[in-house]
Amino acid sequence: MSDQLSLDSIRSVLTRLEETIIFGLIERAQFRQNRAIYRRGEIWRELEGESLVGFLLHESEKSHAKVRRYTSPDEHPFFHDLPQPILPDLDYENPLQPNGININARIREAYEGEIIPFVCEPGDDRQWGSSSVCDVANLQNLSKRIHYGKFVAESKYRLQREQLWPLVWRGDAAALMDAITDAGVEQKVLDRVYRKTVTYAAEFEGSSCGHKINPEAVREIYRRWIIPLNKEVQVQYLLERVQD
Amino acid sequence: MSDQLSLDSIRSVLTRLEETIIFGLIERAQFRQNRAIYRRGEIWRELEGESLVGFLLHESEKSHAKVRRYTSPDEHPFFHDLPQPILPDLDYENPLQPNGININARIREAYEGEIIPFVCEPGDDRQWGSSSVCDVANLQNLSKRIHYGKFVAESKYRLQREQLWPLVWRGDAAALMDAITDAGVEQKVLDRVYRKTVTYAAEFEGSSCGHKINPEAVREIYRRWIIPLNKEVQVQYLLERVQD
């Protein structure tokens, strides 16, 4: 099996992404919710119909598309009008089946509408630019973590073809969700994420400034959004999978 | 005195920036040095003479300039051919004297040539895109931290006008460097940065993947580059200051 699909390799990518996600949330939590940066329309009429965060995310994706970020099988853009790469193609090893699964619209909705109020204190501190820069990074990190479900699903499929293929064939999403769910592993992830956040949000002499993140909030973000959306990507991917 | 110039406010900005800088270095340290991303020329001939990192930094600055990042007195671009803001001007409170001090060229040189070999393991893991994205954030964080010396210097000037003005008037850079140096405060910063990195680079079950940063390396980066360059900004700022 391709090295990218070994359970060890997948586990180590996902475990390392926890640091990236927690650091990013801690960074964002130092600022207020700043709802204005998610609003479209009059307030940002110069930004082509986008919010400040949407505008900066779009700009970031345009430049990353030029250097071929979205030709990598573990990267998924939020926008679909991106320029062609200006660098020559890389020969990525791609162990996935061709698929067009991309749930970034739902990730963005959940992040802006639900995760931000969960992580940041209410109100506006006018740190709009800094907050938006954090948001762009966080959205890209969450998207990577959640869409990594494709690798998880492909790996599980190859290991349990006989169990999974009949469910795929019947298009039985509920049974697939059941089959890919491992409550013990999920609990381990939640516990570890909590412990990590306790450590990273430690208080230091002189660090009283800025809101520190609540470790329960990070665990809850994993429980309510990251894990379920990741599993949904897995199920969608399996439902599209063809037999081999 | 303007709130931005109170020593408490400056200290809390700089202390909170330590987290941002340490998190960013830990993120970069999971990848190899990947020297290819700093090279210009043939390897990146599509990138208008820039390295991959330079290209992405330039693109980032172009989009941030459009949303007026560099009209803020605590932000300094690495490139000087940036577009005009498309958003209307904000009325920033700017307690600094007009000045054109920008040492980003030296920051970039130190970061790419000296800090990266200090933080990352040698070699190439082909994680070029991810490494470059970390580098763009790190360069912007370091630039902010180092140029904050302008606020420090203005604050010190207003508190010790009688002591500092004769040195400014004589253009005595060495005496100014002496006058702004507080070895005790520097040692406190170094100790705190070390302790923070020990905490943030903690080992967790299942986090063995990826190179963890060495806390001594982060302390050394503060000692050799961040603190001296910050002080140099202070001296340059004071030398340009006019009496009031």
Side-chain angles (χ1 to χ4, degrees):
Chain A
M1 201 186 313
S2 147
D3 181 52
Q4 269 188 294
L5 293 181
S6 80
L7 282 178
D8 269 0
S9 150
I10 289 173
R11 200 173 300 132
S12 89
V13 169
L14 296 184
T15 308
R16 183 59 189 76
L17 270 172
E18 290 165 6
E19 264 73 36
T20 306
I21 288 170
I22 297 169
F23 289 160
L25 292 172
I26 292 175
E27 287 294 289
R28 179 61 181 85
Q30 70 185 300
F31 309 114
R32 298 283 175 142
Q33 291 185 16
N34 295 328
R35 302 301 315 162
I37 64 179
Y38 307 111
R39 249 174 249 136
R40 297 161 201 241
E42 189 50 25
I43 179 174
W44 304 114
R45 69 172 164 282
E46 293 85 0
L47 300 185
E48 306 154 23
E50 264 299 344
S51 65
L52 183 60
V53 169
F55 177 81
L56 287 172
L57 180 61
H58 196 187
E59 293 281 307
S60 166
E61 292 202 334
K62 284 191 246 178
S63 60
H64 292 180
K66 290 187 204 164
V67 298
R68 68 192 166 201
R69 175 171 187 164
Y70 304 106
T71 62
S72 171
D74 60 351
E75 295 285 352
H76 299 77
F78 285 79
F79 289 87
H80 300 285
D81 58 344
L82 301 177
Q84 290 300 310
I86 57 178
L87 295 178
D89 275 359
L90 276 188
D91 242 346
Y92 283 110
E93 184 195 8
N94 185 356
L96 301 181
Q97 294 239 324
N99 71 84
I101 296 158
N102 181 329
I103 64 165
N104 276 338
R106 286 182 49 206
I107 294 172
R108 188 173 162 197
E109 214 186 306
Y111 179 80
E112 298 185 355
E114 303 179 280
I115 293 176
I116 284 295
F118 221 73
V119 161
C120 300
E121 291 187 356
D124 193 309
D125 55 20
R126 309 292 289 185
Q127 296 291 313
W128 293 357
S130 301
S131 303
S132 302
V133 168
C134 290
D135 285 336
V136 169
N138 287 343
L139 284 164
Q140 290 171 336
N141 297 335
L142 289 172
S143 172
K144 184 162 184 167
R145 170 63 173 79
I146 288 165
H147 287 99
Y148 221 78
K150 296 183 184 183
F151 291 86
V152 178
E154 180 65 24
S155 174
K156 287 180 180 166
Y157 181 85
R158 295 198 196 180
L159 289 169
Q160 315 165 46
R161 205 179 304 248
E162 271 141 57
Q163 188 205 342
L164 293 176
W165 175 249
L167 312 179
V168 171
W169 191 81
R170 291 206 310 267
D172 191 338
L176 281 169
M177 183 59 87
D178 236 39
I180 59 151
T181 297
D182 184 332
V185 167
E186 288 180 21
Q187 192 54 51
K188 263 179 133 167
V189 171
L190 294 173
D191 291 346
R192 188 175 57 226
V193 162
Y194 178 82
R195 287 201 314 277
K196 285 184 178 180
T197 313
V198 168
T199 300
Y200 301 145
E203 287 290 343
F204 288 91
E205 161 265 316
S207 319
S208 55
C209 56
H211 171 60
K212 290 272 183 179
I213 208 165
N214 180 348
E216 276 94 23
V218 174
R219 181 169 56 193
E220 202 59 16
I221 288 166
Y222 263 78
R223 201 167 64 79
R224 284 202 214 169
W225 294 288
I226 298 178
I227 293 177
L229 288 172
N230 175 278
K231 283 161 61 178
E232 195 168 317
V233 167
Q234 294 185 47
V235 170
Q236 279 190 35
Y237 178 86
L238 290 171
L239 286 173
E240 283 194 18
R241 204 179 185 302
V242 294
Q243 197 171 16
D244 57 4
Chain B
M1 200 186 312
S2 148
D3 180 52
Q4 270 188 293
L5 292 181
S6 81
L7 281 178
D8 269 359
S9 150
I10 290 174
R11 199 173 299 131
S12 89
V13 169
L14 296 184
T15 308
R16 182 58 188 79
L17 269 173
E18 290 166 4
E19 265 73 37
T20 305
I21 288 171
I22 297 169
F23 289 160
L25 292 172
I26 292 176
E27 287 294 289
R28 180 62 181 84
Q30 69 184 301
F31 308 114
R32 299 282 175 143
Q33 291 184 17
N34 295 328
R35 303 300 316 162
I37 64 179
Y38 307 111
R39 249 173 249 135
R40 296 160 202 242
E42 188 51 24
I43 178 174
W44 304 113
R45 70 172 163 283
E46 293 84 359
L47 301 184
E48 307 154 20
E50 263 298 344
S51 65
L52 182 59
V53 169
F55 177 81
L56 286 173
L57 180 62
H58 196 187
E59 293 280 308
S60 167
E61 293 201 334
K62 283 191 246 178
S63 59
H64 292 179
K66 290 187 205 164
V67 297
R68 68 192 166 200
R69 177 172 187 162
Y70 303 106
T71 62
S72 171
D74 59 351
E75 295 285 351
H76 299 77
F78 286 79
F79 290 87
H80 300 285
D81 59 345
L82 300 178
Q84 289 300 310
I86 57 178
L87 294 179
D89 275 0
L90 276 188
D91 242 347
Y92 284 109
E93 185 195 8
N94 185 357
L96 302 181
Q97 295 239 323
N99 71 85
I101 296 158
N102 181 330
I103 65 165
N104 276 337
R106 287 181 50 205
I107 294 173
R108 187 173 164 196
E109 213 186 306
Y111 179 79
E112 297 185 357
E114 303 178 279
I115 294 177
I116 284 295
F118 221 73
V119 160
C120 301
E121 291 188 354
D124 193 309
D125 54 21
R126 307 293 288 184
Q127 297 289 314
W128 293 358
S130 302
S131 304
S132 302
V133 169
C134 291
D135 285 336
V136 169
N138 287 343
L139 284 164
Q140 290 171 337
N141 297 335
L142 290 171
S143 172
K144 182 162 184 169
R145 171 64 173 81
I146 288 165
H147 286 99
Y148 221 79
K150 296 183 184 182
F151 291 86
V152 178
E154 180 65 24
S155 173
K156 287 179 181 167
Y157 181 85
R158 296 198 195 178
L159 289 170
Q160 314 166 46
R161 205 179 304 249
E162 270 142 59
Q163 186 203 345
L164 293 177
W165 176 249
L167 313 179
V168 172
W169 192 82
R170 292 206 311 267
D172 191 338
L176 281 170
M177 182 60 86
D178 238 37
I180 60 152
T181 297
D182 183 332
V185 167
E186 287 180 22
Q187 193 54 50
K188 264 181 134 166
V189 171
L190 295 173
D191 291 346
R192 189 175 55 224
V193 162
Y194 177 84
R195 286 201 315 276
K196 285 184 178 181
T197 314
V198 168
T199 300
Y200 301 146
E203 286 290 343
F204 289 92
E205 161 263 319
S207 320
S208 55
C209 57
H211 171 60
K212 291 273 182 177
I213 208 164
N214 180 349
E216 276 94 23
V218 174
R219 181 170 55 194
E220 202 58 17
I221 288 166
Y222 263 78
R223 200 167 65 79
R224 284 203 215 170
W225 295 287
I226 297 177
I227 292 176
L229 288 172
N230 175 279
K231 283 161 61 179
E232 196 169 317
V233 167
Q234 292 184 48
V235 171
Q236 280 191 33
Y237 178 87
L238 289 172
L239 286 173
E240 284 193 17
R241 204 179 184 303
V242 294
Q243 195 170 18
D244 56 6

Short mmCIF file of all heavy atoms in Angstrom, two decimals, chain A residues 81 137 193 223:
data_model
loop_
_atom_site.label_atom_id
_atom_site.label_comp_id
_atom_site.label_asym_id
_atom_site.label_seq_id
_atom_site.Cartn_x
_atom_site.Cartn_y
_atom_site.Cartn_z
N ASP A 81 -12.59 30.05 -8.94
CA ASP A 81 -12.21 30.86 -10.11
C ASP A 81 -10.73 31.20 -10.01
O ASP A 81 -10.33 32.33 -10.21
CB ASP A 81 -13.04 32.15 -10.14
CG ASP A 81 -12.85 32.97 -8.85
OD1 ASP A 81 -12.33 32.40 -7.85
OD2 ASP A 81 -13.18 34.16 -8.85
N ALA A 137 -5.56 31.54 7.71
CA ALA A 137 -4.74 30.37 8.07
C ALA A 137 -5.60 29.28 8.70
O ALA A 137 -5.48 28.10 8.36
CB ALA A 137 -3.61 30.80 9.01
N VAL A 193 -6.25 16.41 22.40
CA VAL A 193 -6.41 17.81 22.01
C VAL A 193 -6.63 18.69 23.25
O VAL A 193 -6.08 19.79 23.36
CB VAL A 193 -7.58 17.94 21.01
CG1 VAL A 193 -8.06 19.36 20.91
CG2 VAL A 193 -7.17 17.40 19.66
N ARG A 223 -15.05 17.93 18.64
CA ARG A 223 -16.18 17.01 18.79
C ARG A 223 -17.35 17.39 17.90
O ARG A 223 -17.98 16.53 17.29
CB ARG A 223 -16.62 16.99 20.26
CG ARG A 223 -17.41 15.74 20.64
CD ARG A 223 -17.55 15.59 22.16
NE ARG A 223 -18.33 16.66 22.71
CZ ARG A 223 -19.67 16.72 22.66
NH1 ARG A 223 -20.35 15.74 22.10
NH2 ARG A 223 -20.30 17.75 23.18
#
